[in-house]
Amino acid sequence: MAAKLKKGDKVIVLAGKDKGKEGTITSVNPKTGKAIVDGVNISVRHTKQSQATQGGRVPQAMPIQLSNLAIIDKDGKPTRVGFRMDGDKKVRFAKTTGDVIDA
């Protein structure tokens, strides 16, 4: 199945403790169906001090389920993603506005 959400997409969280927060996708793992979004689903990791890094409590973004994310359209509202043929290319578009997401 084609990827509806990709790295660099601006998304909003639909469910969970961070519902309503917005962020940009930094990485996607299609095998597990999860993505890492900046500033969303933050967890504190305790790291041991080493010569290279200072130890302590380090906030880290954890993966979130793709089904709990929706892409933001040009109006700033969450929308679903569809696919259509534009000439001989398959492009993603926002279902609410019909605008092409990929430039």
Side-chain angles (χ1 to χ4, degrees), residues 61-79:
M62 300 302 287
I64 188 167
Q65 195 71 27
L66 288 174
S67 63
N68 293 334
L69 301 174
I71 199 160
I72 298 176
D73 63 0
K74 67 175 185 176
D75 300 332
K77 296 182 180 177
T79 184

Side-chain angles (χ1 to χ4, degrees), residues 16-31:
K17 67 178 184 178
D18 294 322
K19 181 177 179 178
K21 286 188 180 179
E22 296 179 6
T24 306
I25 295 179
T26 56
S27 68
V28 178
N29 187 350
K31 189 173 182 180

Side-chain angles (χ1 to χ4, degrees), residues 78-93:
T79 184
R80 291 178 295 163
V81 177
F83 293 97
R84 69 174 171 221
M85 295 302 290
D86 190 21
D88 59 346
K89 287 181 67 176
K90 185 177 179 182
V91 295
R92 298 184 306 156
F93 72 98

Side-chain angles (χ1 to χ4, degrees), residues 23-45:
T24 306
I25 295 179
T26 56
S27 68
V28 178
N29 187 350
K31 189 173 182 180
T32 60
K34 296 186 177 195
I36 296 178
V37 182
D38 281 337
V40 175
N41 201 19
I42 299 296
S43 176
V44 176
R45 293 282 172 231

